[in-house]
């Protein structure tokens, strides 16, 4: 009987020891994160930071490249700005004016996108290629220089015949240039075919009433 009790007591002691060991293991579990997987969030956070850093670096590089692209992008073609007006920078029209005396009015306007200055006060005007077809300047009008851009215009007046009688030749076109040495003169059609003899031309002006050509 005593033997059975001893055996039973031994079993109870062993069972209690097992329970105690299990309890100790359970209690120690939270204090050792490496054994329960608690360290995993730390690794995940580090990965996120790394990805974030990579994204920031990539974004920085992209922004830098975009900035470079913006610097190198063209800002618009400004050719023609501030230069002296060449004949091929301008559009010309010629109209006949009856008052106060009959004459031809030349209107010069800068072509689209051009800003230039009429630095030479008097236009070069001629009829045909002969020397007697070259218009003589009379010095009327005269603003120097005149800026042409957009809708702004300059005027000059031509008197095609300053002589009496029947002399002269008929012309249907007039040759206009901004200077005598301009390599690209413009040939402009006249509204009619006047008789030309010893023509004269005024200076450029922004006022029409200053370019009525008269022999002084």
């Amino acid at each position: 009987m005593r033997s059975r009790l001893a055996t039973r007591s031994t079993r109870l002691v062993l069972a209690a020891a097992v329970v105690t060991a299990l309890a100790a293991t359970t209690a120690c579990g939270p204090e050792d994160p490496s054994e329960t997987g608690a360290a995993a969030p730390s690794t995940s956070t580090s990965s996120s930071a790394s990805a974030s850093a990579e994204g920031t670096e990539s974004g920085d590089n992209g922004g830098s490249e975009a900035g470079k692209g913006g610097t190198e992008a063209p800002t618009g073609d400004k050719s023609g700005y501030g230069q002296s007006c060449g004949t091929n920078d301008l559009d010309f029209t010629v109209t006949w004016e009856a008052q106060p005396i009959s004459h031809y009015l030349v209107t010069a306007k800068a072509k689209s996108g051009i800003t230039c200055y009429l630095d030479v006060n008097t236009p070069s005007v001629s009829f045909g290629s002969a020397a007697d077809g070259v218009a003589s300047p009379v010095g009327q009008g005269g603003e120097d220089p005149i800026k042409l851009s957009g809708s702004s215009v300059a005027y000059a007046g031509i008197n095609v015949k300053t002589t009496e009688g029947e002399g002269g030749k008929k012309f249907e076109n007039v040759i206009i240039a901004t200077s005598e040495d301009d390599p690209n003169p413009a040939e402009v059609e006249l509204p009619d075919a006047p008789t030309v003899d010893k023509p004269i031309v005024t200076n450029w002006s922004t006022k029409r009433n200053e370019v009525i050509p008269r022999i002084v």
Side-chain angles (χ1 to χ4, degrees):
M1 182 70 177
R2 184 176 296 177
S3 176
R4 289 180 179 178
L5 290 173
T7 302
R8 185 177 179 183
S9 298
T10 302
R11 289 177 179 174
L12 289 174
V13 170
L14 290 174
V18 170
V19 170
T20 302
L22 289 174
T25 302
T26 304
C28 293
E31 295 178 2
D32 188 4
S34 64
E35 293 180 3
T36 62
S42 175
T43 303
S44 177
T45 302
S46 176
S47 298
S48 298
S50 175
S52 176
E54 289 176 3
T56 303
E57 180 179 354
S58 175
D60 289 344
N61 290 339
S64 176
E65 292 300 322
K68 290 179 181 178
T71 301
E72 295 174 1
T75 57
D77 182 9
K78 294 185 177 181
S79 61
Y81 185 83
Q83 67 183 17
S84 296
C85 295
T87 303
N88 57 0
D89 293 324
L90 308 176
D91 288 324
F92 299 92
T93 57
V94 179
T95 56
W96 184 73
E97 304 291 327
Q99 299 296 329
I101 62 172
S102 61
H103 65 284
Y104 290 91
L105 182 69
V106 179
T107 303
K109 181 180 179 180
K111 292 180 179 179
S112 178
I114 296 290
T115 296
C116 62
Y117 292 83
L118 286 169
D119 293 327
V120 178
N121 200 288
T122 308
S124 174
V125 172
S126 62
F127 297 86
S129 57
D132 60 0
V134 177
S136 300
V138 292
Q140 295 168 241
E143 298 173 38
D144 190 18
I146 296 174
K147 179 181 178 180
L148 293 181
S149 179
S151 61
S152 60
V153 297
Y155 302 104
I158 302 172
N159 186 341
V160 297
K161 193 175 189 304
T162 60
T163 61
E164 301 292 338
E166 300 297 326
K169 299 177 182 178
K170 288 185 176 292
F171 291 91
E172 295 180 350
N173 300 287
V174 59
I175 300 170
I176 303 173
T178 55
S179 63
E180 292 181 357
D181 56 356
D182 193 299
N184 301 296
E187 187 169 5
V188 183
E189 184 177 3
L190 295 166
D192 53 14
T195 299
V196 178
D197 191 19
K198 294 186 178 181
I200 59 174
V201 62
T202 70
N203 296 334
W204 293 112
S205 177
T206 56
K207 302 178 180 65
R208 293 170 60 126
N209 61 358
E210 290 185 353
V211 295
I212 301 166
R214 295 183 174 90
I215 298 177
V216 179

